């Protein structure tokens, strides 16, 4: 099973080059896949932190998440590039960074290395921030909009 508690992972992965990627992954799309595949190539192990339903409701539009956390965990866990998945209830991954202290915190192309919100925390413990994936041409919000528009035609 790829779903783990973050505290267990920190002991299991000692000595490995751990990459942490995170997101809601509400409607899994090709942009998510490319982000996670690129992040996996950066280290020995890819841990994906997924926002819980509670966390998604704090940071996204009304009506989100579309898919519940169990479904999102199942889909992301099924990807060959993903080694472990953790769920988090907070609006950001700061607690996970504190516990796991990954070598690399990978974010998608909607950020730059300078704009990653957790950048200072990662640099402070000696980690690196990297951008992974293709240009931000895909989003769950756009997919939802297309579905709603086509339903009204």
């Amino acid at each position: 099973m790829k779903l783990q508690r973050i505290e267990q992972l920190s002991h299991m992965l000692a000595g490995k080059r751990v990459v942490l990627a995170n997101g809601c992954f509400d409607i899994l799309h090709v942009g998510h896949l490319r982000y996670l595949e690129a992040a996996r190539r950066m280290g020995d192990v890819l841990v994906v932190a997924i926002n819980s339903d509670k966390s998604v409701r704090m940071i996204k539009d009304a009506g989100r998440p579309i898919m519940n956390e169990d479904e999102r965990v199942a889909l992301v866990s099924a990807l060959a590039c993903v080694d472990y998945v953790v769920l988090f209830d907070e609006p950001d991954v700061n607690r996970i960074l504190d516990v796991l202290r990954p070598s690399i915190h990978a974010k998608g192309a909607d950020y730059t290395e300078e704009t990653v919100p957790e950048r200072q925390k990662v640099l402070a413990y000696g980690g690196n921030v990297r951008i992974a994936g293709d240009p931000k041409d895909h989003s769950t919000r756009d997919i939802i909009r297309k579905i709603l528009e086509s339903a009204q035609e």
Side-chain angles (χ1 to χ4, degrees):
M1 176 73 164
K2 290 184 180 182
L3 181 63
Q4 296 287 326
R5 291 185 35 147
I6 192 65
E7 295 79 11
Q8 292 170 323
L9 272 183
S10 64
H11 299 293
M12 291 170 44
L13 302 177
K16 297 192 174 160
R17 187 171 172 86
V18 176
V19 179
L20 175 70
N22 70 283
C24 298
F25 305 100
D26 197 6
I27 296 178
L28 196 61
H29 56 71
V30 72
H32 291 135
L33 177 63
R34 292 175 182 159
Y35 161 49
L36 296 176
E37 288 176 333
R40 178 61 182 86
R41 291 190 293 270
M42 295 177 180
D44 301 325
V45 176
L46 176 61
V47 177
V48 180
I50 299 177
N51 296 75
S52 68
D53 291 347
K54 174 182 172 184
S55 176
V56 172
R57 285 190 293 272
M58 283 189 266
I59 64 171
K60 294 292 185 180
D61 302 329
R64 302 279 299 275
I66 301 296
M67 297 173 50
N68 71 49
E69 62 192 39
D70 293 334
E71 293 169 341
R72 293 182 288 118
V73 165
L75 287 171
V76 172
S77 293
L79 299 175
C81 59
V82 175
D83 295 299
Y84 299 100
V85 171
V86 296
L87 270 172
F88 65 101
D89 286 331
E90 301 80 15
D92 58 47
V93 291
N94 282 313
R95 185 181 69 81
I96 292 172
L97 290 168
D98 285 337
V99 174
L100 190 59
R101 299 172 68 93
S103 301
I104 298 172
H105 180 38
K107 295 294 277 186
D110 44 339
Y111 292 93
T112 67
E113 289 182 11
E114 292 73 31
T115 63
V116 171
E118 303 87 2
R119 174 181 168 79
Q120 291 308 314
K121 178 178 285 293
V122 174
L123 296 178
Y125 69 72
N128 294 292
V129 173
R130 296 287 180 263
I131 303 305
D134 60 357
K136 182 74 173 176
D137 295 333
H138 322 279
S139 77
T140 299
R141 183 174 285 123
D142 290 344
I143 292 170
I144 292 169
R145 188 181 70 248
K146 285 180 186 178
I147 291 169
L148 292 173
E149 287 171 359
S150 68
Q152 294 177 5
E153 293 176 355

